[in-house]
Amino acid sequence: MAEVKLHGFWYSFLTWRVMWTLKLKGIPYENIEEDRFNKSPQLLQYNPVHKKTPVLVHAGKPICESMIIVEYIDETWSQNPLLPVDPYERALARFWVRYTDDLISSVGALFHSNKTGEEREKAIEKVREHLRVVEDQCLGDEKKFFGGDTINIVDIAFGSVAKFIEIEEDVYEVKVVEAEKLPRWHSWFNNFKDVPVIAENLPDHEKTVGCFKSILEKLLAA
């Protein structure tokens, strides 16, 4: 098997996507921990355009952008497929993966906000608006995961953001996801976290919360 390396941050939800995919596929890889504030020359060489993680290096060739990497892995290693075979279902899955960009934008705005009171509530409500769309349009009562009975690419995309929201709630000491108002989302995320491969590779919650509090202080002080 060709050598596989993953450049990323242990606390990055984008890196989690790639790491979970590699674990689900049973692909051995070398983890290369990057420093968010002092990125390695190798990383900058592999991703000269955006200069960001994650970057997967397979047989010496770098692939960038988390969900592009996930698709690459899925196409390269056939075990435990994440993308549906049916062309329509595959297109639908890609649509919802793309929709995570809208959710990430709202979640990021909340994280980078130093506002309180009404402004903070507006940021939280924007995140909830996106979650309600997913709740109403994508998650059915009979579905355990987005892909049905097994995890697929949409679960990977949303699962990373859901975990980040959970961390944000403790960073800001606010409640973003109210189980009674988003019961399908809440049930799905619990199912996702209970999958052994995911459960065994979730970041330590308290450590991650502390890390993000420190990062937030640096960002707001800049």
Side-chain angles (χ1 to χ4, degrees), residues 12 39 84 100-101 104 108 110-111 137 142 162 182 186 208:
S12 165
K39 296 166 186 172
T100 61
D101 292 341
I104 289 169
L110 172 59
F111 180 72
Q137 302 296 327
E142 74 286 353
L182 293 163
H186 185 260
T208 312

Side-chain angles (χ1 to χ4, degrees), residues 27-181:
I27 302 166
Y29 68 97
E30 178 185 352
N31 183 67
I32 300 174
E33 184 66 29
E34 292 285 348
D35 181 346
R36 180 190 184 105
F37 300 100
N38 186 25
K39 296 166 186 172
S40 70
Q42 201 169 29
L43 172 67
L44 301 179
Q45 176 187 343
Y46 284 143
N47 190 358
V49 177
H50 296 301
K51 302 178 175 63
K52 294 179 179 179
T53 61
V55 173
L56 185 82
V57 183
H58 179 216
K61 298 177 181 178
I63 304 98
C64 306
E65 299 297 321
S66 63
M67 294 314 297
I68 292 176
I69 296 172
V70 170
E71 279 209 42
Y72 173 85
I73 294 170
D74 197 45
E75 292 173 354
T76 304
W77 291 274
S78 60
Q79 66 269 28
N80 302 323
L82 297 176
L83 271 166
V85 174
D86 178 77
Y88 175 75
E89 294 298 326
R90 181 182 291 249
L92 201 59
R94 285 179 170 145
F95 171 86
W96 286 111
V97 166
R98 181 66 62 86
Y99 187 75
T100 61
D101 292 341
D102 296 332
L103 177 57
I104 289 169
S105 179
S106 295
V107 171
L110 172 59
F111 180 72
H112 288 89
S113 171
N114 62 351
K115 299 179 175 65
T116 58
E118 185 178 348
E119 290 299 317
R120 174 65 52 76
E121 283 303 316
K122 286 181 180 179
I124 292 172
E125 182 55 32
K126 193 66 178 177
V127 175
R128 289 172 176 165
E129 284 179 15
H130 289 304
L131 296 180
R132 283 194 290 270
V133 170
V134 180
E135 174 95 358
D136 296 339
Q137 302 296 327
C138 194
L139 286 169
D141 291 328
E142 74 286 353
K143 293 173 68 175
K144 186 175 182 181
F145 302 108
F146 285 97
D149 292 330
T150 58
I151 283 180
N152 79 356
I153 195 169
V154 184
D155 297 286
I156 294 294
F158 277 113
S160 60
V161 186
K163 181 58 185 174
F164 185 54
I165 292 173
E166 188 177 64
I167 290 164
E168 270 197 321
E169 290 180 324
D170 282 354
V171 169
Y172 284 118
E173 298 180 357
V174 297
K175 195 64 180 173
V176 177
V177 177
E178 299 168 310
E180 66 276 10
K181 294 182 179 179

